[in-house]
Amino acid sequence: SGQTEILAQGIALVVPANIYPALSPFLGVLGAFMTSSNTASNVLFAPVQETIAIVAGLPVATIIAAQNVGAAVGNAIAPANIVLGTGPAGILGQEGKVLRRALPYALAATVVTGIGAWLLVFFMGNGG
C-alpha cells in the first residue's frame, strides 16, 4: 500500500542522515518490544530501515544490521517474553520488576549498537 515508503521518507526528512545510524537500532527495539519477536521486528521495520538508508545515502547493510541487533535487544525486554520467563523462574507477578531491572542493560546495549553503527558509517569507510 506504500505505507512503508511514506513512513521511511518521513523519517528520513525529519532525522538528519548524520544522526540516523545511531538511532536505527531503536526502531528494532521498538518492533521487538511490540511483537515479542526479533523476526517480526525485522519483517516490520527492515524495509523501513532500508528505504531510510537509501533516501539518506547511508549504507543499507549497516542500517539493517543495527535494526537486527536492536530487535534482538528488544526481544529480551518484550513483555510477552518476560511473562514466559517469570513462570518457570517461579516469580509470576513480578514482571514489572524484571523489566525495570533489564531495561538499563537493554538501553545500554542499544546505545552501544547505535554508536557502533554511527562509527561504521562515518569513520570506517561508510560501513559497507
Side-chain angles (χ1 to χ4, degrees), residues 11-12 14-22 52-53 55-58 63 118 121-122:
I11 292 170
V14 173
V15 181
N18 62 342
I19 295 173
Y20 189 76
I52 292 168
V55 170
L58 299 167
I63 301 303
W118 186 81
V121 170
F122 294 107

Side-chain angles (χ1 to χ4, degrees), residues 2-128:
Q3 292 176 349
T4 300
E5 185 78 22
I6 291 170
L7 178 62
Q9 288 182 8
I11 292 170
L13 288 172
V14 173
V15 181
N18 62 342
I19 295 173
Y20 189 76
L23 300 178
S24 59
F26 288 91
L27 196 55
V29 170
L30 176 64
F33 186 81
M34 292 184 326
T35 65
S36 296
S37 168
N38 185 323
T39 302
S41 177
N42 291 332
V43 168
L44 284 170
F45 291 126
V48 173
Q49 299 269 29
E50 178 183 25
T51 303
I52 292 168
I54 291 167
V55 170
L58 299 167
V60 173
T62 301
I63 301 303
I64 296 296
Q67 155 69 34
N68 193 28
V69 173
V73 171
N75 198 39
I77 59 167
N81 292 336
I82 291 174
V83 169
L84 287 173
T86 58
I91 55 172
L92 281 173
Q94 297 187 37
E95 292 80 8
K97 184 177 180 181
V98 171
L99 179 59
R100 280 190 298 281
R101 298 250 346 227
L103 202 53
Y105 297 102
L107 181 59
T110 307
V111 168
V112 168
T113 301
I115 291 168
W118 186 81
L119 287 171
L120 277 172
V121 170
F122 294 107
F123 290 103
M124 304 284 188
N126 211 19

